[in-house]
Amino acid sequence: MKKIKKVIILVIIFALCFGTLTGCGKNEEVQVDTGDTTSAEQSKDTKEDEIQMDKEQVFRYSDNSDITGLNPMLNTTAPDNGVHNFVLETLVSEVTDEKGNTIIKPAAAEDWKVTPDGTVYTFKIREDAVWSDGVPVTANDFLFTFRTMATPEVGSTNAWLFDGIIVNFGESLYNDGTNPEYNKKPEDIGVKVIDDKTIEFTLVKPYGYFLDLLTGAKPVRQDKYEEWGTGYGSSIDKVVMNGPFLLESWDQNVQMTFVKNEKYWGASDVKLQKIERKLIQDPATAAQALISGDIDVVGARDTEWIDLINADGRFDMSLTPGNAPEFFGFNCSNKYFKNPKIRLAFSLAFDREKYVEDLRNGKAEPLYSMMPSVINVGEIPYMERTNGKNEVIKDLLKQYPDPKALLIEGLKEEGFDPDPAKMDVSYVTRGTTEYSKKSAEWLLQQWKEKLGVEIKIDMIEWNVMWDRVHAGDYDICTSGWGPYYNDPNGLLELYEPVNGYFNSDKSGWSGPDADKFAEILAKASNSPDNQERAELFVEAEKILVGTAVIVPTYTASSTFFTAKYVKNYHFNSISGVDYTKVYISGR
């Protein structure tokens, strides 16, 4: 895979995790056996005859950026994606259920089948799925979409998602005529039309998160894409839509207005008649807009605004954990930190709950695993699927109640003076902000009290820190990462010793443990069974986190307020709101 492209996009995806959360879809039973429950096992929606809805069904929200366009091939910023989720529907939809969990739901495809080996997915497209001009949505629309994404000259910004996933996709995407390994054409990718309403995907190997990736491939229709060329998606009259809503007006840098798509296959279940997306860049102005009734939901960071909105009483507050873990890592080739006992002593010698309370004002989720609670394996949260066994640090805290004794034992093993005060250790920060300084000093105090070690703090800008990490020039570094798909592999693969972003050259981690870790990830990547994969991921965490190659600390939480009259509005940091279920009652 093209690593540089991935790193750039990861920054964009990380931003998306904290941007506007949108989504669409309809919940139906899916006959797929991957070790998951089916969508039919989710709790049933409230019956329409049991709810009281306002006559005016209008939902209003704000974003701080306008979109770049309506072409899903090229316009894939966080604001773009949010709008595309209203007006463009791909085969499946990733939304949040009433419990706050991420689920995959049928969308343009009414159902799908997966072969026992997990490598072939066959989707049946709905007979009543149509474009906004009444033309039926067909398998050829998706074939054209994926072939266009795999065309190098197009420069599709989401295409990298399927490199190494769909057969021959990367070999076509990166075919510039100079590398014999990339010598395929878009017609060679593993996407095939079976009939007008059936499309088949062939994968390189099982990928338990393939459905999650599909949500990043919004369709374009060939005749219109070829007719409008580079102008596709530049304005309302140069895009065809197939989502639950249609873009009615677009006043750039002011407001976008969406109306219910009466031709949408699930229109009878969509309750909102209109959605207004307002552009408000200043957080204080957005908070005031919520209080005055100009918008119905807002994210707030400022403590004063949070307290003010809370005291108002007309809004529900939710604290939503992020999907991007914060952690610090050791240079495992360092004279001290090549010893896992020394690393582990540092990992166990600070209170994560206290960290969150002191440094994040309680607005974060302490991590005892590399995985935040919102990460799934298939449609089931990783933590739930493993019964909490992934939180390996909790077991280690019980096993080693005295981290200083563990540190002294490690120092002796390496032939050093057993007095921790004589250690020479530096900690590089990821920036020079007040928070970076405060958090580093907090850790310094914890390690001094619990271990008797006084570390040196090296305050440097984040880009300089990354340069030093790349060069292996550090003792302890602070870091964080936003995965580009919802699966533990999206984070664990960072430390794959050969191909990971934090490979052996950067982390200094090599030897039997690193080799075993790579073997486990490889085994998990070849399993079509999500329960088996989850158990393998726990084994991988017992090595990576259990020997403290990295030390998870927390994942930040975001505070949101929603007007009480907005019903069925559920979201998390990974998946969007299912706007087909949202309605207004009692504005």
Side-chain angles (χ1 to χ4, degrees):
M1 297 186 184
K2 300 290 186 178
K3 292 287 187 286
I4 294 177
K5 283 179 175 282
K6 283 191 174 183
V7 173
I8 294 172
I9 298 297
L10 280 167
V11 177
I12 298 173
I13 297 299
F14 182 81
L16 172 60
C17 296
F18 296 94
T20 301
L21 303 173
T22 58
C24 55
K26 181 176 172 61
N27 193 11
E28 296 181 13
E29 185 172 2
V30 184
Q31 300 296 338
V32 184
D33 185 9
T34 59
D36 297 341
T37 56
T38 62
S39 298
E41 293 171 339
Q42 307 292 335
S43 59
K44 295 181 179 180
D45 299 324
T46 305
K47 293 181 179 178
E48 192 164 340
D49 59 1
E50 295 177 354
I51 63 177
Q52 298 294 321
M53 296 195 303
D54 290 2
K55 183 177 181 180
E56 183 183 58
Q57 289 296 308
V58 180
F59 176 79
R60 305 178 179 94
Y61 76 102
S62 67
D63 205 327
N64 60 10
S65 298
D66 203 354
I67 69 169
T68 63
L70 297 166
N71 182 348
M73 291 290 165
L74 303 176
N75 309 129
T76 57
T77 66
D80 293 330
N81 291 333
V83 167
H84 294 171
N85 285 336
F86 289 138
V87 300
L88 295 172
E89 183 175 73
T90 189
L91 295 165
V92 298
S93 179
E94 184 178 54
V95 295
T96 310
D97 69 8
E98 65 276 9
K99 296 179 181 178
N101 295 328
T102 297
I103 60 171
I104 299 291
K105 300 171 59 177
E110 61 184 356
D111 59 32
W112 59 88
K113 296 179 180 179
V114 187
T115 55
D117 66 358
T119 62
V120 180
Y121 285 69
T122 305
F123 295 85
K124 186 67 175 179
I125 297 170
R126 299 177 187 276
E127 292 294 335
D128 51 354
V130 298
W131 293 94
S132 49
D133 58 4
V135 174
V137 174
T138 69
N140 281 297
D141 294 326
F142 290 97
L143 178 67
F144 176 75
T145 295
F146 278 88
R147 285 183 174 178
T148 303
M149 291 178 75
T151 302
E153 295 77 17
V154 171
S156 172
T157 49
N158 266 355
W160 66 275
L161 287 168
F162 302 99
D163 170 22
I165 306 293
I166 296 174
V167 166
N168 290 332
F169 195 94
E171 289 81 350
S172 171
L173 177 63
Y174 301 118
N175 182 5
D176 61 3
T178 64
N179 190 334
E181 293 184 9
Y182 297 96
N183 60 356
K184 301 297 182 180
K185 297 180 180 180
E187 294 77 16
D188 298 324
I189 68 173
V191 183
K192 180 173 66 174
V193 166
I194 304 301
D195 58 44
D196 202 39
K197 289 288 185 176
T198 310
I199 190 164
E200 178 184 280
F201 294 81
T202 302
L203 310 186
V204 175
K205 60 182 179 179
Y207 285 96
Y209 47 87
F210 177 63
L211 295 177
D212 179 81
L213 296 181
L214 278 182
T215 62
K218 298 296 191 295
V220 294
R221 204 173 80 203
Q222 182 173 1
D223 60 335
K224 295 300 183 182
Y225 194 82
E226 293 175 345
E227 176 185 346
W228 293 322
T230 57
Y232 189 93
S234 59
S235 59
I236 296 177
D237 61 340
K238 283 187 171 56
V239 65
V240 282
M241 299 168 270
N242 71 325
F245 299 93
L246 302 176
L247 182 56
E248 180 184 58
S249 63
W250 181 5
D251 187 358
Q252 291 191 351
N253 295 313
V254 179
Q255 179 173 313
M256 303 181 81
T257 301
F258 306 86
V259 294
K260 179 179 176 179
N261 180 5
E262 297 296 347
K263 296 178 181 178
Y264 179 62
W265 60 265
S268 61
D269 293 328
V270 178
K271 301 172 180 62
L272 291 176
Q273 292 294 330
K274 183 179 291 187
I275 296 175
E276 296 177 356
R277 177 191 186 273
K278 302 175 184 293
L279 187 67
I280 304 177
Q281 295 181 323
D282 178 51
T285 304
Q288 183 59 53
L290 177 76
I291 293 173
S292 63
D294 292 332
I295 59 175
D296 303 322
V297 60
V298 76
R301 294 183 179 180
D302 186 274
T303 302
E304 291 185 8
W305 279 110
I306 290 174
D307 293 342
L308 182 63
I309 298 172
N310 234 346
D312 185 285
R314 294 177 296 152
F315 309 100
D316 292 323
M317 186 180 81
S318 60
L319 197 62
T320 306
N323 70 333
E326 289 288 319
F327 53 90
F328 55 86
F330 298 103
N331 184 344
C332 296
S333 62
N334 173 274
K335 62 181 180 179
Y336 298 119
F337 298 124
K338 65 181 181 180
N339 187 295
K341 292 180 180 178
I342 295 177
R343 299 195 302 263
L344 193 56
F346 276 76
S347 176
L348 303 179
F350 72 96
D351 187 329
R352 287 162 172 80
E353 307 283 343
K354 183 174 174 58
Y355 185 105
V356 165
E357 191 61 38
D358 291 352
L359 297 171
R360 307 294 304 184
N361 296 316
K363 296 178 176 63
E365 177 182 82
L367 292 181
Y368 300 89
S369 159
M370 193 178 183
M371 305 304 149
S373 60
V374 296
I375 298 293
N376 280 11
V377 181
E379 285 200 21
I380 300 176
Y382 175 52
M383 186 177 296
E384 178 183 328
R385 196 185 277 278
T386 62
N387 295 316
K389 291 179 181 178
N390 63 301
E391 294 189 306
V392 298
I393 293 175
K394 287 185 175 180
D395 290 334
L396 290 168
L397 285 167
K398 296 175 183 178
Q399 186 177 351
Y400 300 106
D402 184 0
K404 185 174 182 179
L406 188 63
L407 173 60
I408 292 172
E409 187 177 337
L411 290 172
K412 289 179 178 179
E413 287 181 356
E414 298 303 322
F416 292 115
D417 189 313
D419 182 2
K422 295 182 179 179
M423 292 181 69
D424 181 17
V425 177
S426 64
Y427 176 93
V428 293
T429 65
R430 189 183 54 192
T432 57
T433 64
E434 184 60 30
Y435 178 80
S436 293
K437 182 175 183 292
K438 185 178 179 181
S439 60
E441 290 176 344
W442 189 94
L443 282 169
L444 181 151
Q445 188 62 32
Q446 288 277 302
W447 287 331
K448 184 176 180 179
E449 291 177 3
K450 303 284 182 65
L451 300 177
V453 177
E454 187 158 356
I455 65 169
K456 300 172 184 176
I457 300 175
D458 194 356
M459 296 286 295
I460 57 178
E461 296 295 342
W462 72 272
N463 57 321
V464 178
M465 189 212 76
W466 286 118
D467 288 342
R468 287 180 55 172
V469 169
H470 292 172
D473 180 22
Y474 68 99
D475 296 340
I476 309 173
C477 71
T478 184
S479 188
W481 205 269
Y484 59 87
Y485 54 87
N486 184 17
D487 189 86
N489 190 71
L491 290 166
L492 292 173
E493 71 171 358
L494 294 172
Y495 277 85
E496 204 282 333
V498 176
N499 297 311
Y501 184 77
F502 294 105
N503 57 31
S504 294
D505 292 337
K506 298 174 186 176
S507 68
W509 186 41
S510 60
D513 279 350
D515 293 341
K516 181 65 174 176
F517 176 79
E519 290 175 10
I520 293 172
L521 290 190
K523 185 176 181 180
S525 73
N526 285 299
S527 173
D529 185 276
N530 281 325
Q531 186 59 40
E532 180 185 26
R533 294 177 66 245
E535 292 166 2
L536 287 168
F537 291 142
V538 171
E539 293 305 309
E541 287 214 68
K542 286 180 179 178
I543 298 175
L544 184 70
V545 178
T547 67
V549 175
I550 69 162
V551 179
T553 52
Y554 71 94
T555 185
S557 296
S558 300
T559 303
F560 285 87
F561 289 95
T562 309
K564 291 183 182 294
Y565 52 75
V566 178
K567 308 300 181 183
N568 283 350
Y569 188 91
H570 309 293
F571 61 93
N572 64 37
S573 58
I574 290 177
S575 51
V577 176
D578 187 348
Y579 282 97
T580 67
K581 298 185 182 303
V582 174
Y583 66 95
I584 307 299
S585 178
R587 186 189 295 271

